[in-house]
Amino acid sequence: MYLYLQNRLAAHVRQFLTQKYPDIELPEIVVEQPPKIELGEFALPVALKLARPLRKAPLKIAQEIVAEMSVPEGFAEFTVAGAGYINARLDRTTAARIVAADAAANAAEASAANSRGKVLVEHTSINPNKAAHIGHLRNSILGDTLVRLLRAAGYKVDVQNYIDNTGVQVADVVVGFEQMAKLSASDVEKLIASDPRFDFYCWDLYAKVSQWYEADKAHLDARRNTLHLLETGGNPTAELAQKISMAVLRRHLETMKRLDIEYDFLPQESDILHLHFWAQAFEKLKAAGVLYYEEAGKNKGCWVMTRPGHVRGEGESGPDEDAKVIVRSNGTVGYVGKDIAYHMWKFGLLGLDFGYRKFYQYPEGQSVWISCDPAQSEPGSPHFGGVDAIYNVIDARQSEPQETVKQAITLMGHQESAARYTHFSYEMVALTPRCAMELGYTVSEEDQKKSYIEVSGRKGFGVKADDLLDRLIDAAKGEVDSRHPEVSDQERREVATQIAIGALRYFMLKFTKQSVIAFDFREALSFEGETGPYVQYAVVRASNIFRKAGITPEDALKTPVSEGAFADSEDLWSLWLAAGQTSKIIEGCIASTEPAGLTKHAFQLAQQFNNFYHHHHILTEEDAGRKQLLLATAAVVRRELMAVMAVLGIPAPSVM
RNA sequence: GGGAGCGUAGCUCAGUUGGAUAGAGCAUCUGCCUUCUAAGCAGAGGGUCGCAGGUUCGAGUCCUGCCGCUCCUACCA
């Protein structure tokens, strides 16, 4: 509602100003919200902006505009306030009726939606050699929420999880199985079949391998040899590696599914290698002159690319020592080269495709597809890639390689694709020194002084995602048990799980992307204040009202809001206004690729509702008209809150 | 050296392209459960927005210079 009326207002003002000041180049019509609701619903600082070109006091300009401009449909009046703000007041009854009728209208307002193109979001992409930890959780939750935001705004979205099954990390854990655990291929198979948390086993083994390397550098030969075998493929070690990485991958899918995070497609690095994506990309990059052969200097014999943002100085001659090496002098390609080829595939610029077969099926029936040789492609399989826009959810440390890939695509002449290449960058999750010591890790004196310590899968230092979730569920279960002994144990467990998910997802989303999260159990396990459970609780309270009132929330919204209903109810009106802003907030979150704004919105809406809940006792309200309005208010807030929670991936429990 | 980011209340963080009296949560203190559930509500205290300049009607926000912290910057993957 809010966005719809805001756009209508901006268009109206623009039209008026164009006529009034034909000679002036109009600034963009900015619409803000006044600090207090008594001042109106919209604030236009346009008079302040016009002060300079018109050489006139802002206040005077505002007064002139308000005196002459007509009031658009749905609005009540314009007023001048402050230093020259033009404030617009809504016709509250009309606006409230739009909100009440909303759902459909909101969806239409959210976008010229259905025509929006297909986008690809890649997130998670955990090396398949160990259990997922809290850092991976931030990635997956941010990525999944981005997917939900885009879908809510009408985009078609494919979700990808990139599987680096031929890298050093997988090689390391394979070395662990072969050299340290000394398990045969069939032993590993038995372990995979019998251990429901095989990824935890790998977590410990991986940490041991790292220590083993440190004990004797000669042990690193094992890594080198294994890595080579994995890249080549078609040997027992590569087969073992594939068994292990697929088992760990399965565990990752299970872990993320606990948080209601799903994927459509899993491209494997091994397939990018075996299908020679790079060879194809290499030819195109050479043909386009993006890569050139370095004849001299430290990069002699390599194929290199100009680094993004690098400008050759005046009179600088000789080899560009700063250039990025893509192909080494021994002819092998580095990681970035393969990534360029992969991203050309994403945009449909490569001219090659994966094969697709089913890998996993969610309990509700949707399939997750994995890459394979096209010869083995399942009949009737979907096709991925070739999209209009991509989002890569990858932590901030990877921004340099991300820029390099984007640069390559730009230099190839695909500026429009490169412009729709978004590196969704975010900061890491670290542990507070206190938290690390609670977990039993030894923390050096130097580290104790820091505000946070980086987690490390290599050292086995961190909090595993499944462990955290288990602890959250236990904590929530304790609360639910004591509050609702009348409910069955099974339902209490379900509710506790929903609360845990809500708490965890909210926790990971409430911080802005660029903020390092210093993880602490006390904060993460909190169910009070600005948390997921606080928001969930507001919805449960709203639902309880309707359960006892013997009316559905939907029916409560069918009676039209009566004329003048909000005349002396500023608090009710501000709740309706906040509820009407969801689609505007969602658009803002997409534009800024910052989901934190939506958690803020959810919290504020819940907070306002709790306030309302305490001030108005709905069921005992005697005035029938008033009671109707209160019920409609609860219904509208409940509906919007549930919509927002769905985008945040936070479930709505039945009781709390 | 170059690039990116950060610095706001005791702690953890918000703060929309410059705008109205700088906001939340936690922690501390004071009240509120016979009511639609207290995972809640009301209230109090707590600020030199790292420092110094500049731009202007107006700066937490933009510019410059410092101070402090973090990450990136290999022919490894």
Side-chain angles (χ1 to χ4, degrees), chain A residues 5 32 60 94-95 167 191 210 261 277 285 292 304 436 446 468 472 533 583 626 649:
Chain A
L5 291 170
E32 298 168 353
K60 191 129 201 291
T94 307
L191 184 62
S210 300
I261 297 173
F277 273 27
L285 288 164
Y292 62 93
V304 301
E446 192 190 345
L468 174 58
L472 279 162
S583 55
R626 179 77 176 166

Side-chain angles (χ1 to χ4, degrees), chain A residues 479 483 499 502-504 506-507 510 522-538 541 599-608 610 641 650 656:
Chain A
E479 295 288 332
R483 285 161 208 255
I499 292 169
L504 181 53
Y506 194 97
F507 178 79
K510 72 193 267 194
R522 190 173 54 86
E523 254 189 273
L525 289 169
S526 166
F527 299 149
E528 287 166 18
E530 197 192 337
T531 65
Y534 178 96
V535 177
Q536 292 173 311
Y537 189 58
R541 282 178 143 183
T599 60
K600 198 116 242 158
H601 177 59
F603 178 65
Q604 282 168 354
L605 205 48
Q607 200 173 37
Q608 276 196 60
N610 276 331
L641 219 34
I650 297 176
M656 270 184 85

Side-chain angles (χ1 to χ4, degrees), chain A residues 11 39 48 110 119 126 183 185 197 206 260 282 287 290 346 348 372 447 499 576 583 603 623:
Chain A
L39 293 167
L48 301 167
V119 305
I126 310 169
L183 293 182
R197 286 193 170 169
Y206 181 45
D260 203 16
F282 193 24
V290 177
K346 282 189 180 178
C372 66
D447 279 349
I499 292 169
W576 281 74
S583 55
F603 178 65
D623 181 320

Side-chain angles (χ1 to χ4, degrees), chain A residues 365-385:
Chain A
Q366 316 87 297
S367 299
V368 187
W369 297 81
I370 196 163
S371 64
C372 66
D373 191 295
Q376 268 117 50
S377 211
E378 274 184 41
S381 64
H383 160 86
F384 297 95

Side-chain angles (χ1 to χ4, degrees), chain A residues 16 20 63-70:
Chain A
F16 171 80
K20 183 165 168 65
Q63 282 161 350
E64 283 178 18
I65 293 173
V66 168
E68 294 173 34
M69 187 165 56
S70 65

